[in-house]
Amino acid sequence: MLTSRLSAPIVALAAPLLLYGGALVSQYGFGLSPCEMCYWQRWPHQAAILLALLALILRGNDRAMRALTLLAVIAIAVSGAIGVCHAGVEYRFWEGLTTCATGGGGPVSLDAIMNAPLIRCDTAQWTLRGISLAGFNAIFSLGAAALALTLLRRRTTSAA
């Protein structure tokens, strides 16, 4: 069935698109400046988006589609693991990087550097019921990775 065959790569595409899109909306729509660890969580999502897109483009080659989907799932899980680490720093479960602060990019003039906001990794800018954005990224990324991996495995056992 076509739907079950494509369900894992679709989850592997939709989850990082939604999570990365949410990060961009929170940054540009609501003015929440990302810290360095926030950026670290975005990179695996960007990789997962590309890998899942390639998996869907190569859906005629089942082996390539499955391998690319698995790589996308791993990237999503990596973002979730970084989210766990970041949330632990925010909740003071462990110490973060001592140099973890960013000014959000932009021009590299001395005036821009001196006037850039200092965004700390150990301070959550926004929470909902005590869960920070890093915490939500961890929950949703690890959940989506588990779902996509389950769908990918289910396809393997049903094909055998």
Side-chain angles (χ1 to χ4, degrees), residues 10-93:
I10 288 172
V11 169
L13 175 63
L17 267 176
L18 290 170
L19 289 164
Y20 183 59
L24 293 176
V25 166
S26 71
Q27 180 178 354
Y28 296 108
F30 298 108
L32 299 177
S33 298
C35 70
E36 187 173 345
M37 291 182 82
C38 293
Y39 284 119
W40 295 352
Q41 292 170 79
R42 293 177 184 194
W43 299 336
H45 282 315
Q46 294 167 351
I49 291 166
L50 293 175
L51 290 163
L53 277 173
L54 280 173
L56 289 169
I57 289 169
L58 297 174
R59 65 184 170 267
N61 181 339
D62 194 58
R63 188 176 200 156
M65 180 182 72
R66 296 177 57 71
L68 289 164
T69 301
L70 180 60
L71 290 172
V73 167
I74 291 168
I76 295 166
V78 166
S79 180
I82 297 168
V84 168
C85 180
H86 189 187
V89 170
E90 290 174 336
Y91 300 132
R92 309 285 196 275
F93 294 157

Side-chain angles (χ1 to χ4, degrees), residues 71-152:
L71 290 172
V73 167
I74 291 168
I76 295 166
V78 166
S79 180
I82 297 168
V84 168
C85 180
H86 189 187
V89 170
E90 290 174 336
Y91 300 132
R92 309 285 196 275
F93 294 157
W94 45 77
E95 191 173 319
L97 303 173
T98 57
T99 60
C100 188
T102 182
V108 190
S109 69
L110 181 58
D111 190 44
I113 292 170
M114 297 305 289
N115 292 319
L118 181 65
I119 309 302
R120 297 179 51 94
C121 294
D122 62 354
T123 304
Q125 292 188 49
W126 181 88
T127 63
L128 177 64
R129 298 192 184 265
I131 302 174
S132 68
L133 290 173
F136 279 114
N137 180 59
I139 293 166
F140 291 129
S141 292
L142 294 173
L147 174 61
L149 187 59
T150 300
L151 293 169
L152 200 58

